[in-house]
Amino acid sequence: MKKPELLMPAGSLDILKTVITYGADAVYLGGEMLSLRAKAKNFTMPEIKEGIRFAHEHGAKVYVAANIFAHNWDLKAAMKFFLLLNNYQPDALIISDPGLFTLAQSLVPNIPVHISTQANNTNYGTYLFWHKQGVKRVVAARELSIEELKEIKANIPDDMEIEAFVHGAMCISYSGRCLISNFLTGRDANQGACTHPCRWKYHLVEETRPGEYMPVFEDQHGTYLYNSKDLCMIDHIPELVDAGISSFKVEGRMKTALYAATVARAYRAAIDDYAEDPETYYKKLPWYRDEVGKCTTREFCTGFYFERPGAEAQIYDSNTYSKEWTYLGTIEEQEGRPFLLQKNKFSVGEEVEVMRPDGSNLPAEVKGLVTESGEAVESAPHPGQKLFIDLGIPLMPYDILRKKA
C-alpha cells in the first residue's frame, strides 16, 4: 500500500518542530492574516520562513492556510501575503474562496493550491471541477461517509488526492461554515474569529410560553445543545486506506504541544504498523487508543464515516474536557543541559512520565529543579519559568514531560 500522509496542525513554530519530530509528514499553519484561527498564536513571516526551512530539512511539507471567506477589504492584504509567501515556497496554500483562489493562481502559480473543506466538497463532480482548474488535492467535507469517499475516488483522475479529517474537534455547522458566532457576538467564524458558541449551554423556550422548557433537554438547568464529541478514527485506519484517502488530517491549531505530539505519535505508529503488517496494527490497537486518550479531549465518535451522527455523538450535560494527563513542558537544551519552559505546576519528588518520539514512555521522579539564576527550588508554580531539571535519566530535546492529572 502507499502510505497516506499524516498531516498535523501547528499553532506555533515550537509545535511545528515538535510534531515533525513526532512523526508528521506535513503540517498546516496560519499566518497573521487570512486564516480561520485568528485566536491562535499564528505565524509571523520570519516564523513561516523558519518553519518551512525546518520542515524541508526534515523531509516534511508545510501548507499555509488562507481559507477565510474574503470580503473586499481582504483582497489587497491577500495579494501582499501571497507575494511574501512566494519568497519562502510553502508546499501548498489551503484556500476555500474562489476570489483568493484566482488571486493565488495569477500571483503565485508555482505554489500548489489545496481546496479547503470550507468549500463544501461533497461529490466527485466538485472534485472534477477543481481538477480542471489545476488543483491536485481537495479536502473532503466532514459530512461524507466512507462509501461516498470511495465513490469519489473511483470517479476522479489518479493524480488527484483526497485529504480527510481523521481526528479532532467536530464543528456543528456544515463543513464549518457557521453563522452562530457572528449572530450572537458579532465575531465572524468565516473570517477566523469564531467564539465557539456550539460549546455554550442553552435553553430552548417557545416565544408564547415563557418558562416552559422543551422536553429535549436533560433537566431544568439547560443543555449543551450543539456540543459534538471529538472525531477519532485510530481504530479505522484500514477503512480509511481502503477508501483511497491520501492525507490523514488532524484538527487542532489551538491545541498544546502535548496534544499535537501525542496524536502525531499515535497515528504515525498506527499508519506505519498497518503498512508493514496489519496484524501488528490490530494487536496494538489498545496502545493507540490509550495514547490518544492521554491528551485533553472530549469523548470520541467516528463522525459521519459510518452513519449519520445521532444523539450519541453529542455531549449534552457539560462542555468540559477529559484530562487524564497534564503537560509540564518540552525539553530543550542549553550548553548541553536539558531545560524546559514550565507549562503547569509540578514539584521535586513527583512522579512524571517522559514521552519520547520513538514511542517510549519512561516513568521518572523529579530529583531536582534549578532556575535560570542558579537557585534550587522545590516546586515550579509559575507557567513560563525556565527550569533546569534532573530526573535521574538522560533527557533529549523534544522529550515531553507530563504527569497524571
Coordinates of all heavy atoms in Angstrom, one line a residue, residues 4-9 28 117 139-142 144 146 149 162-170 229-241 243-252 259 263-264 266-268 270-271 281 292 300-306:
P4 N -0.6 6.7 3.5 CA -1.2 8.1 3.5 C -0.3 9.0 4.3 O 0.4 8.7 5.2 CB -2.5 7.9 4.2 CG -2.4 6.7 5.0 CD -1.4 5.8 4.3
E5 N -0.4 10.3 3.9 CA 0.3 11.3 4.6 C -0.3 11.6 5.9 O -1.5 11.6 6.0 CB 0.3 12.6 3.7 CG 0.8 13.9 4.4 CD 0.5 15.1 3.5 OE1 -0.6 15.6 3.6 OE2 1.4 15.5 2.7
L6 N 0.5 11.8 6.9 CA 0.0 12.3 8.3 C 0.2 13.8 8.3 O 1.3 14.3 8.4 CB 0.7 11.6 9.4 CG 0.3 12.0 10.8 CD1 -1.2 11.8 11.1 CD2 1.2 11.3 11.9
L7 N -0.9 14.5 8.3 CA -1.0 16.0 8.3 C -1.4 16.5 9.6 O -2.5 16.3 10.0 CB -1.9 16.5 7.2 CG -2.1 17.9 7.0 CD1 -0.8 18.7 6.8 CD2 -3.0 18.2 5.8
M8 N -0.5 17.2 10.3 CA -0.8 17.7 11.7 C -0.9 19.2 11.7 O -0.3 19.9 10.9 CB 0.4 17.3 12.6 CG 0.5 15.8 12.8 SD -0.9 15.1 13.7 CE -1.0 16.0 15.2
P9 N -1.7 19.8 12.7 CA -1.8 21.2 12.8 C -0.6 21.8 13.6 O 0.0 21.1 14.4 CB -3.0 21.3 13.7 CG -3.1 20.1 14.5 CD -2.5 19.0 13.6
Y28 N 0.1 22.0 8.7 CA -0.6 23.1 8.2 C -0.6 24.2 9.2 O -0.7 23.9 10.4 CB -2.0 22.8 7.6 CG -3.0 22.3 8.7 CD1 -4.0 23.1 9.2 CD2 -3.0 21.0 9.1 CE1 -4.9 22.7 10.1 CE2 -3.9 20.5 10.0 CZ -4.9 21.4 10.5 OH -5.8 20.9 11.4
T117 N -11.8 22.2 3.2 CA -13.1 21.6 3.5 C -14.2 22.7 3.6 O -15.4 22.3 3.4 CB -13.0 20.9 4.8 OG1 -14.2 20.1 5.0 CG2 -12.8 21.8 6.0
V139 N -9.8 18.9 0.1 CA -10.1 18.4 1.4 C -11.6 18.0 1.5 O -12.5 18.9 1.2 CB -9.8 19.4 2.5 CG1 -9.9 18.8 3.9 CG2 -8.3 19.9 2.3
A140 N -11.9 16.8 1.8 CA -13.3 16.3 1.8 C -14.1 17.0 2.9 O -13.6 17.3 4.0 CB -13.3 14.8 2.1
A141 N -15.4 17.2 2.6 CA -16.3 17.7 3.6 C -16.4 16.7 4.7 O -16.4 15.4 4.4 CB -17.7 18.0 3.0
R142 N -16.6 17.1 5.9 CA -16.7 16.1 7.0 C -18.0 15.4 7.0 O -18.1 14.4 7.8 CB -16.5 16.9 8.4 CG -15.2 17.5 8.5 CD -14.9 17.9 9.9 NE -13.9 18.9 10.1 CZ -13.3 19.2 11.2 NH1 -13.6 18.6 12.3 NH2 -12.4 20.2 11.2
L144 N -19.1 13.5 4.8 CA -19.1 12.3 3.9 C -18.8 11.0 4.6 O -18.1 11.0 5.6 CB -18.0 12.5 2.8 CG -18.2 13.7 1.8 CD1 -17.0 13.8 0.9 CD2 -19.4 13.5 1.1
I146 N -17.6 6.9 4.5 CA -16.5 6.1 3.8 C -16.9 5.7 2.4 O -16.2 5.7 1.5 CB -16.2 4.8 4.7 CG1 -15.4 5.2 5.9 CG2 -15.4 3.8 3.9 CD1 -13.9 5.5 5.7
L149 N -16.7 8.5 0.0 CA -15.3 8.8 -0.4 C -14.8 7.8 -1.4 O -14.1 8.1 -2.3 CB -14.5 8.8 0.9 CG -14.7 10.0 1.8 CD1 -14.1 9.8 3.2 CD2 -14.0 11.3 1.2
I162 N -7.4 13.0 -2.2 CA -8.4 13.3 -1.2 C -7.7 13.4 0.2 O -7.0 12.5 0.6 CB -9.4 12.2 -1.1 CG1 -10.2 12.0 -2.4 CG2 -10.4 12.5 0.0 CD1 -11.1 10.8 -2.5
E163 N -7.9 14.6 0.8 CA -7.5 14.8 2.2 C -8.7 14.8 3.0 O -9.7 15.3 2.7 CB -6.8 16.2 2.2 CG -6.2 16.5 3.6 CD -5.6 17.9 3.6 OE1 -4.7 18.1 2.7 OE2 -6.0 18.8 4.4
A164 N -8.6 14.1 4.2 CA -9.8 14.0 5.0 C -9.4 14.0 6.5 O -8.4 13.5 6.9 CB -10.5 12.6 4.8
F165 N -10.3 14.7 7.3 CA -10.0 14.7 8.7 C -10.2 13.4 9.4 O -11.2 12.7 9.1 CB -11.0 15.7 9.4 CG -10.6 17.2 9.2 CD1 -11.2 17.9 8.1 CD2 -9.7 17.8 10.0 CE1 -10.8 19.2 7.9 CE2 -9.4 19.1 9.9 CZ -9.9 19.8 8.8
V166 N -9.3 13.0 10.3 CA -9.4 11.7 11.0 C -9.4 11.9 12.5 O -9.7 10.9 13.2 CB -8.2 10.8 10.6 CG1 -8.2 10.5 9.1 CG2 -6.9 11.3 11.0
H167 N -9.2 13.1 13.0 CA -9.1 13.2 14.4 C -9.3 14.7 14.8 O -8.8 15.6 14.1 CB -7.7 12.8 14.9 CG -7.7 12.5 16.4 ND1 -8.0 11.3 17.0 CD2 -7.4 13.4 17.5 CE1 -7.9 11.4 18.3 NE2 -7.5 12.7 18.6
G168 N -10.0 14.9 15.9 CA -10.1 16.3 16.4 C -11.5 16.8 16.6 O -12.5 16.0 16.4
A169 N -11.7 18.0 17.0 CA -13.0 18.6 17.3 C -13.9 18.6 16.0 O -13.4 18.9 14.9 CB -12.8 20.0 17.8
M170 N -15.1 18.4 16.2 CA -16.1 18.4 15.1 C -16.9 19.7 15.3 O -17.3 20.2 16.4 CB -17.1 17.3 15.3 CG -16.5 15.9 15.1 SD -16.1 15.5 13.3 CE -17.8 15.3 12.7
K229 N -19.1 15.4 20.2 CA -18.0 14.7 20.6 C -16.8 14.9 19.5 O -17.1 15.3 18.4 CB -18.3 13.2 20.7 CG -19.2 12.8 21.8 CD -19.5 11.3 21.8 CE -20.5 10.9 22.9 NZ -20.8 9.5 22.9
D230 N -15.6 14.6 19.9 CA -14.5 14.7 19.0 C -14.4 13.5 18.1 O -14.8 12.4 18.5 CB -13.2 14.8 19.8 CG -12.9 16.2 20.4 OD1 -13.8 17.1 20.2 OD2 -11.9 16.3 21.1
L231 N -13.9 13.7 16.9 CA -13.6 12.7 16.0 C -12.4 11.9 16.3 O -11.4 12.5 16.7 CB -13.5 13.3 14.6 CG -13.1 12.3 13.4 CD1 -14.3 11.4 13.1 CD2 -12.8 13.1 12.2
C232 N -12.4 10.6 16.2 CA -11.2 9.7 16.4 C -11.4 8.5 15.5 O -12.3 7.7 15.7 CB -11.1 9.3 17.9 SG -9.7 8.2 18.1
M233 N -10.5 8.4 14.6 CA -10.5 7.2 13.6 C -9.3 6.3 13.8 O -9.0 5.6 12.9 CB -10.6 7.8 12.2 CG -11.9 8.4 11.9 SD -13.3 7.3 11.9 CE -13.0 6.4 10.3
I234 N -8.7 6.3 15.0 CA -7.5 5.5 15.2 C -7.8 4.0 15.0 O -7.0 3.2 14.6 CB -6.8 5.8 16.5 CG1 -5.4 5.3 16.6 CG2 -7.7 5.2 17.7 CD1 -4.4 6.1 15.8
D235 N -9.1 3.6 15.3 CA -9.5 2.2 15.2 C -9.8 1.8 13.7 O -10.1 0.6 13.4 CB -10.8 1.9 16.0 CG -10.5 1.7 17.4 OD1 -9.6 2.4 18.0 OD2 -11.1 0.9 18.1
H236 N -9.8 2.8 12.8 CA -10.3 2.5 11.4 C -9.3 2.9 10.3 O -9.7 3.3 9.3 CB -11.6 3.3 11.3 CG -12.7 2.9 12.3 ND1 -13.3 1.7 12.2 CD2 -13.1 3.6 13.4 CE1 -14.2 1.6 13.2 NE2 -14.1 2.7 14.0
I237 N -8.0 2.8 10.6 CA -7.0 3.0 9.6 C -7.3 2.2 8.4 O -7.2 2.7 7.2 CB -5.6 2.8 10.2 CG1 -5.3 3.7 11.4 CG2 -4.5 3.0 9.1 CD1 -5.4 5.2 11.1
P238 N -7.6 0.9 8.5 CA -7.8 0.1 7.3 C -8.9 0.6 6.4 O -8.8 0.6 5.1 CB -8.2 -1.3 7.8 CG -7.5 -1.4 9.2 CD -7.6 0.0 9.7
E239 N -10.0 1.0 7.0 CA -11.1 1.6 6.2 C -10.7 2.9 5.5 O -11.1 3.1 4.3 CB -12.4 1.8 7.0 CG -13.0 0.5 7.6 CD -12.5 0.2 9.0 OE1 -11.3 0.4 9.3 OE2 -13.3 -0.2 9.8
L240 N -10.0 3.7 6.1 CA -9.6 5.0 5.5 C -8.6 4.7 4.4 O -8.7 5.4 3.3 CB -8.9 5.8 6.6 CG -9.8 6.3 7.8 CD1 -8.9 6.9 8.9 CD2 -10.8 7.3 7.3
V241 N -7.7 3.8 4.6 CA -6.8 3.4 3.5 C -7.5 2.9 2.3 O -7.3 3.2 1.1 CB -5.7 2.5 4.0 CG1 -4.9 1.9 2.8 CG2 -4.8 3.1 5.0
A243 N -10.5 3.4 1.4 CA -11.3 4.4 0.7 C -10.5 5.3 -0.2 O -11.0 6.0 -1.0 CB -12.0 5.3 1.8
G244 N -9.1 5.1 -0.2 CA -8.3 5.9 -1.1 C -7.9 7.3 -0.6 O -7.5 8.1 -1.4
I245 N -8.0 7.5 0.7 CA -7.6 8.8 1.2 C -6.1 9.0 1.2 O -5.4 8.1 1.8 CB -8.2 9.0 2.7 CG1 -9.7 8.9 2.6 CG2 -7.7 10.3 3.3 CD1 -10.4 8.9 3.9
S246 N -5.6 10.1 0.7 CA -4.2 10.3 0.5 C -3.5 11.0 1.7 O -2.4 10.8 2.0 CB -3.9 11.1 -0.7 OG -4.3 10.5 -1.9
S247 N -4.3 11.8 2.4 CA -3.8 12.5 3.6 C -4.7 12.5 4.7 O -5.9 12.8 4.6 CB -3.6 14.0 3.1 OG -3.1 14.7 4.2
F248 N -4.2 12.0 5.9 CA -5.0 11.9 7.1 C -4.7 13.2 7.9 O -3.6 13.5 8.4 CB -4.5 10.7 8.0 CG -4.9 9.4 7.4 CD1 -5.5 9.2 6.2 CD2 -4.6 8.2 8.2 CE1 -5.9 8.0 5.8 CE2 -4.9 7.0 7.7 CZ -5.5 6.8 6.5
K249 N -5.8 14.0 8.0 CA -5.6 15.3 8.6 C -6.2 15.4 10.1 O -7.3 14.9 10.3 CB -6.4 16.4 7.8 CG -6.2 17.8 8.2 CD -6.8 18.7 7.2 CE -6.4 20.2 7.4 NZ -6.9 21.1 6.3
V250 N -5.4 16.0 11.0 CA -5.8 16.1 12.4 C -6.1 17.6 12.6 O -5.4 18.5 12.2 CB -4.6 15.7 13.3 CG1 -4.9 16.0 14.7 CG2 -4.3 14.2 13.1
E251 N -7.2 17.8 13.3 CA -7.7 19.2 13.6 C -6.9 19.6 14.9 O -6.6 18.8 15.7 CB -9.2 19.2 13.8 CG -9.8 20.5 14.1 CD -9.7 21.0 15.5 OE1 -9.6 20.1 16.4 OE2 -9.8 22.2 15.8
G252 N -6.7 20.9 15.0 CA -6.2 21.4 16.3 C -5.1 22.4 16.4 O -4.2 22.3 17.1
Y259 N -0.8 17.7 23.2 CA -1.9 17.2 22.3 C -1.3 16.8 21.0 O -1.5 15.7 20.5 CB -3.0 18.2 22.2 CG -4.1 17.8 21.3 CD1 -5.2 17.1 21.8 CD2 -4.0 18.0 19.9 CE1 -6.3 16.7 20.9 CE2 -5.0 17.6 19.1 CZ -6.2 17.0 19.6 OH -7.2 16.6 18.7
V263 N -1.0 12.9 19.6 CA -1.8 12.4 18.5 C -0.9 12.0 17.3 O -1.1 11.0 16.6 CB -2.8 13.5 18.1 CG1 -3.6 13.0 16.9 CG2 -3.8 13.7 19.3
A264 N 0.1 12.9 17.0 CA 1.0 12.6 15.9 C 1.7 11.2 16.1 O 1.8 10.4 15.2 CB 2.1 13.7 15.7
A266 N 0.8 8.6 17.9 CA -0.1 7.5 17.9 C -0.5 7.2 16.4 O -0.4 6.0 16.0 CB -1.3 7.8 18.7
Y267 N -0.8 8.2 15.7 CA -1.3 7.9 14.3 C -0.1 7.5 13.4 O -0.2 6.7 12.5 CB -2.0 9.2 13.7 CG -3.4 9.2 14.0 CD1 -3.9 9.8 15.2 CD2 -4.4 8.6 13.2 CE1 -5.2 9.8 15.5 CE2 -5.7 8.6 13.5 CZ -6.2 9.2 14.7 OH -7.5 9.3 15.0
R268 N 1.1 8.1 13.7 CA 2.3 7.7 13.0 C 2.6 6.2 13.2 O 2.8 5.4 12.2 CB 3.5 8.5 13.5 CG 4.9 8.1 12.9 CD 5.2 8.6 11.5 NE 4.5 7.9 10.5 CZ 4.0 8.4 9.4 NH1 4.0 9.7 9.2 NH2 3.5 7.6 8.5
A270 N 0.4 3.9 14.1 CA -0.8 3.1 13.5 C -0.6 3.0 12.0 O -0.8 1.9 11.4 CB -2.1 3.8 13.9
I271 N -0.3 4.1 11.3 CA -0.1 4.1 9.9 C 1.1 3.2 9.5 O 0.9 2.3 8.6 CB 0.1 5.5 9.3 CG1 -1.2 6.3 9.5 CG2 0.6 5.5 7.9 CD1 -0.9 7.8 9.3
Y281 N -0.8 -4.0 13.6 CA -1.7 -2.8 13.9 C -2.9 -3.3 14.8 O -3.2 -2.6 15.8 CB -2.3 -2.3 12.5 CG -3.5 -1.4 12.7 CD1 -3.4 -0.1 13.1 CD2 -4.8 -1.9 12.4 CE1 -4.5 0.7 13.2 CE2 -5.9 -1.2 12.6 CZ -5.8 0.2 13.0 OH -6.9 0.9 13.1
V292 N -4.0 8.2 22.5 CA -4.7 9.4 22.1 C -5.6 9.9 23.3 O -6.0 11.0 23.3 CB -5.6 9.1 20.8 CG1 -4.7 8.9 19.6 CG2 -6.6 8.0 21.0
F300 N -15.1 10.5 22.3 CA -14.8 10.3 20.9 C -16.0 9.7 20.2 O -16.8 9.0 20.7 CB -13.6 9.3 20.7 CG -12.3 9.9 21.1 CD1 -11.4 9.2 21.9 CD2 -11.9 11.1 20.6 CE1 -10.2 9.7 22.3 CE2 -10.7 11.7 21.0 CZ -9.8 11.0 21.8
C301 N -16.1 10.0 18.8 CA -17.0 9.4 18.0 C -16.3 9.2 16.6 O -15.2 9.6 16.4 CB -18.3 10.2 17.8 SG -18.1 11.8 16.9
T302 N -17.1 8.6 15.6 CA -16.5 8.4 14.3 C -17.1 9.4 13.3 O -17.1 9.1 12.1 CB -16.7 7.0 13.8 OG1 -18.0 6.6 13.9 CG2 -15.8 6.0 14.7
G303 N -17.7 10.4 13.8 CA -18.3 11.5 12.8 C -19.3 10.9 11.9 O -20.2 10.1 12.3
F304 N -19.2 11.2 10.6 CA -20.1 10.8 9.6 C -19.6 9.6 8.8 O -20.3 9.2 7.8 CB -20.3 11.9 8.6 CG -21.1 13.1 9.1 CD1 -20.5 14.1 9.9 CD2 -22.4 13.3 8.8 CE1 -21.2 15.1 10.4 CE2 -23.2 14.4 9.3 CZ -22.5 15.3 10.1
Y305 N -18.5 9.0 9.2 CA -17.8 8.0 8.3 C -18.7 6.7 8.2 O -18.7 6.1 7.1 CB -16.5 7.6 8.9 CG -15.4 8.6 8.5 CD1 -14.8 9.4 9.5 CD2 -15.0 8.7 7.2 CE1 -13.8 10.3 9.1 CE2 -14.0 9.6 6.8 CZ -13.4 10.4 7.8 OH -12.4 11.3 7.4
F306 N -19.4 6.3 9.2 CA -20.2 5.1 9.1 C -21.7 5.2 9.2 O -22.4 4.3 8.7 CB -19.7 4.1 10.2 CG -18.2 3.8 10.1 CD1 -17.3 4.3 10.9 CD2 -17.7 3.0 9.1 CE1 -15.9 4.1 10.8 CE2 -16.4 2.7 8.9 CZ -15.5 3.3 9.8

